[in-house]
């Protein structure tokens, strides 16, 4: 499928928010993950629907092979380099926890294990897990595992209309459960698929907006204002996801729904070569940024100064670009049985 420049721009914006949040620049940049979820729900459900409407079924083997080639080589490569580097540089007293965290990330259940271990992502300890950011990948992988079967079953029972109805029910139920869990078990609400599925569901529901509806370019300014508000107004103490997650989710939904109506200034920025490049490398950029910020802290035994954090961000960009060029893209297009 041809890539949409505006969605690439949203990816770039999302990963930039997460990086500057972890670099200590903003207080609410963690909403970048929510942007990714809405994008994933939109793109993956769109792929599944187009295949169903064309052939009446899903080639599940081909679907999962595409996901494997797209995600796992880059993920495992960064995980392996992180594990070896941290094992070498970390003190011996930290290696048991390191091994535990690496194993959890490698089998894509780290979101539940980090919740069980009470690793509060919004209130990270002095020595946070070097792979704690893999929790969001685990949520997406779990989503990819179940979602094609759900969409296929709904389509078989009533076509596109039944798919829309089913996604609506799932999205509403997940949102209500998220509200409940955020007030009762906030850590589990933050990490688990059932409390995050509504964000992916919102992205999926965008596919059912009638084509006759036209969105004003002014809506994009509203979306941008919401994202800026969340980035700077949200704090580590903000109950999340809960109602607060509506801010990035609604903003991203608007940006995708009005993808053909972006105002000229936003289009110019979104289609700029630098923005598109950041969107292209957003996946390895997300994977690399946290280890490159955390490992030096542990090795030096102190927080990084702003200049040192800037160097880590530059190193992240370099590592992400090289990983994209020599691992992500070649293996993604490899002809595998």
């Amino acid at each position: 499928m041809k890539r949409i420049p505006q969605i690439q721009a949203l990816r770039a914006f999302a990963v930039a928010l997460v990086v500057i949040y972890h670099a200590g620049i903003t207080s609410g940049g963690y909403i970048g993950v929510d942007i990714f979820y809405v994008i994933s729900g939109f793109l993956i459900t769109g792929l599944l629907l187009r295949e169903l409407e064309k052939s009446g079924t899903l080639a599940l083997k081909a679907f999962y092979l595409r996901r494997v080639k797209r995600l796992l080589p880059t993920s495992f490569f960064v995980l392996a380099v992180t594990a070896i580097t941290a094992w070498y540089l970390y003190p011996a007293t930290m290696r048991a926890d390191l091994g535990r965290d690496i194993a959890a990330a490698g089998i894509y259940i780290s979101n539940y294990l980090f919740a069980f271990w009470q690793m509060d992502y919004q209130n990270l300890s002095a020595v946070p897990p070097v792979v704690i950011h893999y929790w969001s990948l685990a949520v997406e992988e779990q989503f990819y595992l179940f979602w094609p079967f759900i969409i296929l079953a709904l389509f078989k029972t009533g076509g596109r209309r039944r798919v829309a109805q089913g996604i609506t029910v799932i999205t509403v139920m997940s949102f209500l459960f998220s509200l409940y869990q955020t007030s009762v078990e906030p850590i589990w609400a933050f990490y688990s698929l059932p409390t995050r599925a509504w964000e992916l569901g919102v992205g999926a529901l965008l596919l059912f907006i009638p084509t006759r509806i036209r969105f004003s370019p002014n809506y994009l300014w509203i979306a941008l204002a919401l994202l800026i508000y969340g980035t700077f107004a949200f704090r580590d103490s903000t109950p999340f996801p809960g109602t607060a997650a509506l801010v990035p989710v609604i903003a991203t939904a608007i940006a995708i729904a009005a993808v053909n109506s972006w105002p000229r200034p936003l289009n110019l920025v979104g289609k700029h070569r630098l923005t598109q490049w950041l969107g292209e490398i957003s996946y390895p950029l997300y994977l690399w940024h946290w280890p490159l910020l955390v490992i030096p802290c542990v090795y030096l035994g102190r927080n990084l100064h702003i200049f040192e954090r800037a160097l880590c961000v530059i190193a992240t960009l370099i590592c992400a670009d090289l990983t994209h060029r020599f691992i992500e893209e070649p293996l993604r297009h490899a002809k595998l049985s």
Side-chain angles (χ1 to χ4, degrees), residues 48 60 129 207 246 252 296 330:
L48 296 173
L60 293 171
L207 295 158
L246 285 169
T252 309

Side-chain angles (χ1 to χ4, degrees), residues 16-328:
L17 287 183
V18 175
V19 171
I20 63 175
Y21 166 66
H22 283 143
I25 308 300
T26 66
S27 60
Y30 51 81
I31 64 172
V33 171
D34 305 271
I35 298 173
F36 277 123
Y37 284 159
V38 179
I39 293 172
S40 292
F42 173 75
L43 293 177
I44 292 301
T45 308
L47 287 171
L48 296 173
L49 273 179
R50 282 189 291 275
E51 184 176 350
L52 282 168
E53 290 173 340
K54 182 179 180 180
S55 65
T57 188
L58 292 177
L60 293 171
K61 190 174 181 180
F63 171 82
Y64 287 115
L65 180 59
R66 289 194 301 270
R67 291 295 89 202
V68 165
K69 291 195 298 180
R70 170 71 178 86
L71 299 173
L72 297 194
T74 304
S75 172
F76 287 157
F77 173 74
V78 176
L79 192 65
V81 173
T82 299
I84 294 168
T85 305
W87 185 271
Y88 179 75
L89 295 178
Y90 274 23
T93 54
M94 296 179 60
R95 288 178 181 168
D97 287 344
L98 173 65
R100 178 198 67 179
D101 297 339
I102 293 290
I107 56 176
Y108 285 95
I109 58 170
S110 59
N111 54 329
Y112 293 112
L113 291 179
F114 286 143
F116 181 74
W117 296 326
Q118 297 292 296
M119 298 293 186
D120 192 346
Y121 185 87
Q122 291 175 278
N123 295 282
L124 295 174
S125 60
V127 186
V130 73
V131 291
I132 196 169
H133 61 313
Y134 270 69
W135 77 268
S136 64
L137 305 184
V139 170
E140 287 216 32
E141 290 290 350
Q142 292 154 18
F143 169 75
Y144 296 147
L145 184 63
F146 298 110
W147 198 242
F149 293 99
I150 294 172
I151 300 301
L152 178 61
L154 290 170
F155 189 85
K156 289 292 187 181
T157 57
R160 186 181 179 92
R161 183 174 181 178
R162 183 57 58 85
V163 173
Q165 292 170 345
I167 294 174
T168 301
V169 171
I170 292 170
T171 302
V172 171
M173 291 178 62
S174 171
F175 178 65
L176 294 175
F177 185 52
S178 178
L179 294 180
Y180 170 76
Q181 282 288 86
T182 301
S183 62
V184 177
E185 294 284 351
I187 291 182
W188 286 96
F190 192 92
Y191 283 118
S192 72
L193 174 62
T195 53
R196 292 288 189 161
W198 68 274
E199 302 181 27
L200 295 134
V202 167
L205 289 173
L206 295 174
L207 295 158
F208 301 95
I209 298 175
T211 55
R212 66 178 181 274
I213 295 178
R214 294 290 182 268
F215 293 91
S216 167
N218 293 330
Y219 289 1
L220 271 299
W221 297 114
I222 296 173
L224 182 60
L226 287 172
L227 291 173
I228 292 173
Y229 168 78
T231 300
F232 293 99
F234 290 173
R235 300 284 184 270
D236 289 342
S237 58
T238 301
F240 208 88
T243 55
L246 285 169
V247 171
V249 169
I250 291 174
T252 309
I254 291 172
I256 295 175
V259 73
N260 296 317
S261 304
W262 279 33
R264 189 168 184 272
L266 291 182
N267 254 332
L268 286 175
V269 174
K271 292 181 178 180
H272 192 276
R273 288 179 61 185
L274 177 61
T275 306
Q276 291 296 302
W277 173 66
L278 287 175
E280 282 284 329
I281 66 168
S282 59
Y283 181 52
L285 185 60
Y286 179 83
L287 292 173
W288 279 115
H289 85 280
W290 186 237
L292 286 171
L293 285 167
V294 170
I295 292 175
C297 286
V298 175
Y299 180 72
L300 296 173
R302 59 170 174 81
N303 292 327
L304 300 180
H305 303 308
I306 185 66
F307 177 72
E308 293 169 328
R309 279 178 275 161
L311 289 177
C312 289
V313 171
I314 293 171
T316 298
L317 291 169
I318 295 171
C319 289
D321 184 70
L322 293 174
T323 304
H324 174 73
R325 289 172 185 267
F326 298 109
I327 294 177
E328 184 179 24

